[in-house]
Amino acid sequence: MQADRDPMGRAIADYHRDGKAARLRVFSPMFDEDEIPVAKLFRTLDEMPDIEREALLTAAGAILDVGAGAGCHALALQAMEKQVTAIDISLLAVATMRERGVKDVREQDFFTLDGPQFDTILMLMNGIGIVGTLSRMDAFFMQVDRLLAPGGQLLCDSSDICYVFEDEDGIIDLTGIDGYYGELTYRMQYRDVKGEPFPWLFIDAETLREQAAAHGYHCDILVRGPHYDYLARLTRKR
Ligand code: SAH
């Protein structure tokens, strides 16, 4: 992704260079304006939630970190002497990861990645969000089929955002929503750098299990987090 259309990459590069960054703003038609704390993208193992720590401990063999961002997970895995390849579509994120010491890192879209297979595919901080909409699950699993070595695992976290639709009486009303309620559209802005809108998926554990089953995968929930979030492991059915 080109630097002038890449707010998150700009934020990551600034924070890496200056130790601070401006606000990374997130807009979605469904929500009030929100913000991603840029420092959070540089979290250390100690600062990671249990879900992520468990994912890093479970990751084994040749690991692919998809949408690796500032490289926090790749660096933590390297420190554990695990073998990790980091990919991201952001050129600035990739350059930052390289400067931070991620050894095997490249600018690469997950959906067009070719080449050797991996024992673990890691997609953290709602990394499965890159699938965008449920309609892209076929394309996603086709890519997982290609990239996952025999006996391999995909580790991803996401959350059930049903709570967004809770009314003042605590009742969750999902009627009248077009399509699956976890299909969002995001747009980001950092200083004057505005990104294009992009689809971003949050998926609840039950829907992920159904999707996995329909595409020939088991789905085990390894950890449940404090706020509708969870860590899942997908493995091929034999
Ligand atoms: N995993 C990191 C960063 C999460 S932000 C962390 O937990 O801190 C999501 C990242 O995914 C961004 O850096 C974005 O550039 C990248 N990304 C988005 N779509 C992608 C795709 N199709 N292939 C690879 N990376 C992608």
Side-chain angles (χ1 to χ4, degrees), residues 31-75:
F31 300 104
D32 294 335
E33 180 182 335
D34 201 1
E35 174 173 332
I36 297 178
V38 182
K40 193 181 155 191
L41 298 170
F42 287 77
R43 60 205 180 278
T44 60
L45 187 63
D46 292 343
E47 295 163 342
M48 288 175 194
D50 287 349
I51 279 181
E52 294 185 359
R53 251 199 302 259
E54 186 61 28
L56 297 182
L57 292 173
T58 309
I63 302 163
L64 177 68
D65 185 0
V66 178
C72 58
H73 300 115
L75 288 169

Side-chain angles (χ1 to χ4, degrees), residues 1 8 12 40-41 43 52 65-70 72-73 87-90 93 108-111 124-125 130 200:
M1 198 194 306
M8 185 181 263
I12 287 174
K40 193 181 155 191
L41 298 170
R43 60 205 180 278
E52 294 185 359
D65 185 0
V66 178
C72 58
H73 300 115
I87 61 167
D88 203 290
I89 51 169
S90 161
Q108 172 67 53
D109 186 331
F110 173 76
F111 288 95
L124 296 181
M125 197 174 166
I130 66 169
W200 190 249

